[in-house]
Amino acid sequence: MTQQISNLEQFTQQVRRDILRMVHAVNSGHPGGSLGCAEFLVALYQHVMKRNEGFDMNGVNEDLFFLSNGHISPVFYSVLARSGYFSVSELATFRKLNTRLQGHPTTHEGLEGIRMASGSLGQGLSVAIGAAQAKKLNKDSNLVYVLTGDGELQEGQNWEAIMYASAKNVDNLIATVDLNGQQIDGSTTDVLNMGNVKAKFEAFDWDVLEITEGNSIEAIINGMADAKSRTGKGKPVCVLLHTEMGNGVDFMMHTHAWHGKAPSNEQLENALNQNPATLGDY
């Protein structure tokens, strides 16, 4: 396991480089949240989820993942490409004219690995619940995962979905909330304080666990194993993932400033020096 974790950490470091270079190349995108969720998505796709060879929209007999906070598309695209869904070289087309790699993921370009368009926030949980119910109807025992942002929980549709999932015993669902405490206008506490998120989910009759070291591969693997063990017991499962926005780049951490801001040439060089290539740049 020690070697596997080391390999995943090297994978994550390359993903961070991808994120930085993609956003810098077009002077547009969202590096902060992408960097913060790099370890989680790498662990999810490289260790946690059951995935079939190839890709089809139905995802029969495999686990499904939905990205609700679609603005962190750079990390999603990088992990998908480096997990074999499409060519790593296509990352160079991020946000360019006629690209399949839009700023927010879409489905009409047929990009492998994308099952839901996610631009407007607050909708991914509802989609994931529907997919989880479909799996139950089809006697498919695999799980559905969804990632949302903590600021995204300020959207009211989430709470309708949270109420529905527990009322309908959608217990093949694992919803992860990226708790980085930051959003585009400042801290989530200052913009619209969510209070005790754990208590809120529990009040809606969800089974909730926390991963306090949300940028640790080992902690994520252990935490998600715990989450999987709680499925199938009548309740949807919520994972509160405590991450650091901009993780891995010292000047991007502990601030909301890099939510949607590209680094300059000098800043890019600084950030890349903190994350040397491990798998080879695209």
Side-chain angles (χ1 to χ4, degrees):
M1 177 63 89
T2 302
Q3 183 58 51
Q4 184 178 35
I5 289 173
S6 177
N7 292 342
L8 292 176
E9 288 172 345
Q10 291 183 40
F11 194 111
T12 304
Q13 188 164 305
Q14 187 64 54
V15 167
R16 284 199 289 267
R17 284 183 68 88
D18 290 345
I19 293 165
L20 293 162
R21 294 179 66 238
M22 291 161 67
V23 172
H24 170 266
V26 289
N27 195 33
S28 180
H30 297 78
S34 294
L35 291 166
C37 287
E39 288 86 358
F40 174 72
L41 283 177
V42 168
L44 198 66
Y45 273 85
Q46 292 294 308
H47 183 86
V48 176
M49 289 199 306
K50 177 191 172 185
R51 299 189 291 118
N52 293 337
E53 290 293 326
F55 174 74
D56 71 86
M57 287 295 286
N58 293 326
V60 176
N61 295 322
E62 66 176 331
D63 293 338
L64 301 181
F65 171 74
F66 295 96
L67 178 68
S68 187
N69 49 334
H71 56 277
I72 66 167
S73 62
V75 65
F76 194 25
Y77 294 148
S78 172
V79 171
L80 287 176
R82 294 191 178 274
S83 297
Y85 285 90
F86 55 88
S87 173
V88 172
S89 64
E90 193 170 353
L91 296 177
T93 71
F94 174 68
R95 278 187 177 241
K96 293 183 179 179
L97 189 64
N98 298 321
T99 182
R100 299 197 299 170
L101 278 61
Q102 298 287 330
H104 296 79
T106 63
T107 55
H108 65 274
E109 290 95 350
L111 185 64
E112 297 85 353
I114 306 296
R115 292 191 171 92
M116 179 192 79
S118 48
S120 298
L121 293 175
Q123 299 176 0
L125 181 56
S126 298
V127 174
I129 290 169
Q133 288 190 300
K135 280 196 175 293
K136 286 197 168 195
L137 290 170
N138 292 327
K139 310 299 182 186
D140 183 339
S141 61
N142 292 284
L143 300 175
V144 175
Y145 297 83
V146 60
L147 176 66
T148 73
D150 48 1
E152 185 179 5
L153 291 181
Q154 296 161 358
E155 300 280 355
Q157 181 175 330
N158 283 303
W159 298 98
E160 295 180 63
I162 290 164
M163 176 173 58
Y164 180 91
S166 58
K168 300 301 181 181
N169 307 117
V170 186
D171 59 0
N172 56 338
L173 172 72
I174 299 177
T176 300
V177 180
D178 175 22
L179 283 176
N180 61 29
Q182 307 287 343
Q183 58 190 106
I184 190 169
D185 293 325
S187 74
T188 52
T189 301
D190 291 339
V191 175
L192 184 60
N193 193 354
M194 292 297 301
N196 189 331
V197 177
K198 184 174 188 287
K200 284 181 168 63
F201 271 90
E202 288 178 336
F204 280 79
D205 204 25
W206 282 56
D207 190 356
V208 185
L209 64 136
E210 298 194 58
I211 300 177
T212 57
E213 297 178 81
N215 294 115
S216 161
I217 292 286
E218 184 173 9
I220 292 167
I221 287 174
N222 292 336
M224 296 308 288
D226 185 8
K228 289 170 73 173
S229 74
R230 301 185 189 205
T231 60
K233 298 180 180 179
K235 292 185 178 184
V237 177
C238 173
V239 176
L240 300 179
L241 183 75
H242 295 263
T243 70
E244 182 63 52
M245 180 176 279
N247 185 62
V249 179
D250 56 10
F251 63 86
M252 291 187 176
M253 297 168 66
H254 312 298
T255 175
H256 71 281
W258 293 93
H259 171 90
K261 174 184 174 183
S264 66
N265 292 343
E266 182 179 351
Q267 289 167 331
L268 175 67
E269 183 178 3
N270 181 356
L272 293 179
N273 286 337
Q274 296 176 47
N275 294 277
T278 55
L279 303 179
D281 288 332
Y282 63 82

